[in-house]
Amino acid sequence: MRDLLTPIETAVHRGHQDEALRRLAAVPADLPLPAGLAWRLGVLLHQQGRFDAADACYRRVDLDLDDEHPSALADRAQVLAGWAATRWAQGDQARTRQLATDAVAVAERSGDDAAVAAAYLAQALAAFGDGDRAGNEHAYAQALAAAERAGDFGQQLRIRCNVGSRLVEEGHYRPAIEELDEAVRLGELLGQQMLLALALHNRAEAWLGLGDLHRARSDADKALARWQRAGSPLAAFGLTLTARVHRVRGATHQAVAAYRAALAMGEPDGNAQVLVEACAGLARLSYADDPQAAARHAERALSLPSSAGPTVAELAAGWVALCSGDPHTALRYGEQVRAEAGRRRDTAGLAEAVELVTLAAHRANPEATSPRTVRRLLADLVEAATIWAELGNEFALATNALLQARLTGDLVAERIAYERLRRIGVQDGGWHVAGPLAAIGPAPVPEVEVQILGQFAVRLAGATVPVGSWQSRKARDLLHMVAAQLGRPVARDALAAALWPQARAEVALRRLSVLISTVRGVLDPGRRHSADRYLITDSATVQLSTAHVVVDALRFHDAARAAVVADTATPPPTGTAADDRLLSQLETVVAMYAGDLCADDEVVGAAVQRPRALLSALHREVTHRLARRYLHLDRADAAIGWYLRLVGEDGYDEPAHLGLIGALSAAGRHGEANRRHQEYVVRMAEIGVEPAAAALPDRARLNNS
């Protein structure tokens, strides 16, 4: 026996992990292993995701020995702790709990801090599986303290990875990132690639919880690459997270491929966490094209044991039911998740469950549209939004804002929410994934959409009208001018004079009547509607019907006015979630301004100077408010970017110059602040304005004294 095991022990102590595992494979499976060797091999196998092999390794230890020597007790405790962690990964909660309890008892008798750390880590996993968050937190604190006393950096790394994961589960994403930053640092320092991959994976989950899809994908890809290079079954975890990022983005084909690959990898080891996540994800992604497959995936997810509880599977089943037209089943699952998530302190799960219950209740009784019912449903959505705001999840907040807007019929708020989702990176496929977006469906494609900010374009049911369809350039000019009035009527004689300035009035008016008919033919080529459906006319005026025509300039105008009102009504910045929501609203509105009104048409532009100036000024006002908000929140770098944009667009904008100087000074960039002050003085002199003395930063003023 010793002849077979000695080379393995030597390889383990020298850190030759691959050699040790290769030699283990050549040892007869019925040969018992000493506890000290078994737990070290078990840990290596567990970190590689080879849970069945780790389980078999622990089973080869004789745990009935009565040796009470501290070192023997410590090894026995390590075996029990490692075995508990393996059973937890396989979804065997009852066995996990028993093994963890035994591990703590033996470790405490041993007095060995490394064994105590491993035992309490196992107990933390058992508590997590039971939904005992307080017990989980206490056990991790005990484990970390013991690992630090033992100087066991590898165990500290593992504990920090798990603590970060717990914080993610509870929705404490920013503290999780801080914890996992330290785990990543330790992993890089120790060169422990498997645990480093786990730290990166958990940090990616935290980024995803914040709705930062770019960083989530970056960390997820790094973790997956490490697991794949090592040939570790843990790559299945990486694939499920990559799939989740794609699912949120609405990249449905990429998400399906990643989930299927994860499922194939998780099957051999019976990795419960991977299987539940993959089946639940496939259920959400399949409902639109294959409802029967979605139901099968959901049923399997519900039937599988999961150390993380039933929340993931039940949410998937609930959304699939709601999106498939079964609100009563969706309501049942939503209520179950709401109760379970509250018990587990799973705040993200709770917020999503509240949204599921609200939408399911509304769908189950669509006739209940009284103001009182709408207010009650809206209050529930606001409660969910408060949770998302506390978590800092921008994607979930934008989605929730869309739900509220749809419930109340607030078209401006709905448009802003759409723009927020687009800026985050959500693609059209997001509306085909069982969840809140699919439950309400995308906004109907406008019958007619007119774009006059920046480049001119007209879309009928989403399809752009080709230039050749207009017959006349003046027909396009006429629609330009009418749309630029933001829904207000414009006098016929004013249009005629602008289009044919050299013609007699009566001739120009006759031509205008012909042109109106041409525009109506372009907007309704099949003549399926009444003449006034899109272009309303009487003997004196012409007006665009905003009930049937969407105009981007009007949409921007209303959204910008709403943002100004919101900024005015919001107290001074305090660093709360309300500030983040307002910043997001202001940024979204700024992004809606694609360019000056009728910027590509000099003839029309001269006729719409007033609305062009109004919209341009409104855009600058919103940008100023955005920059000031960032500056007052001590986020000077962001403020600098917006002030640079304002100064670049208008070199004589004194408040923009002053704001830029103040932001540069606040960021400690005093030399640049000084140069910008000199530029400001020159610009003001050009227009005869006395520069503000207070504009020069104190340090810059000293440099010039």
Side-chain angles (χ1 to χ4, degrees), residues 4 44 70 116 152 161 177 182 212 237 249 338 353 431 453 456 476 520 530 546 581 626 636 643 670 674 687 701:
L4 291 172
L44 294 179
V116 170
D152 188 340
C161 285
I177 288 169
E182 178 62 19
D212 191 330
F237 282 102
R249 291 174 55 231
R338 188 165 58 180
W431 300 93
L453 292 177
F456 174 76
R476 297 173 73 238
R520 282 173 167 162
S530 64
T546 54
R581 289 198 298 274
L626 177 59
Y643 279 125
H670 300 292
N674 191 13
I687 58 175
R701 196 177 295 121

Side-chain angles (χ1 to χ4, degrees), residues 651-654 657 679-689 691:
Y652 301 102
D653 184 341
E654 183 176 25
H657 278 288
E679 178 184 331
Y680 157 67
V681 171
V682 170
R683 289 288 190 164
M684 293 303 101
E686 290 174 357
I687 58 175
V689 173

Side-chain angles (χ1 to χ4, degrees), residues 378-408:
L378 183 61
D380 290 340
L381 291 178
V382 169
E383 178 187 353
T386 301
I387 297 173
W388 291 128
E390 291 170 353
L391 298 178
N393 189 317
E394 175 64 15
F395 164 76
L397 267 174
T399 301
N400 184 280
L402 185 58
L403 300 182
Q404 291 187 48
R406 186 68 65 85
L407 181 65
T408 58

Side-chain angles (χ1 to χ4, degrees), residues 9 20 75 108-109 120 182 192 225 258 282 335 340 351 356 447 457 463 474-475 536-537 601 633:
E9 292 173 337
D75 285 339
E108 294 286 8
R109 292 210 310 275
Y120 274 105
E182 178 62 19
Q192 293 202 13
L282 286 170
E335 289 172 342
E340 180 70 11
L356 174 58
E447 296 177 43
K474 288 192 181 295
I536 303 171
T537 61
D601 192 323
L633 281 165

Side-chain angles (χ1 to χ4, degrees), residues 77 118 227 328 345 418 647:
W227 279 325
H328 297 287
R345 293 190 353 212
Y418 271 116
V647 170

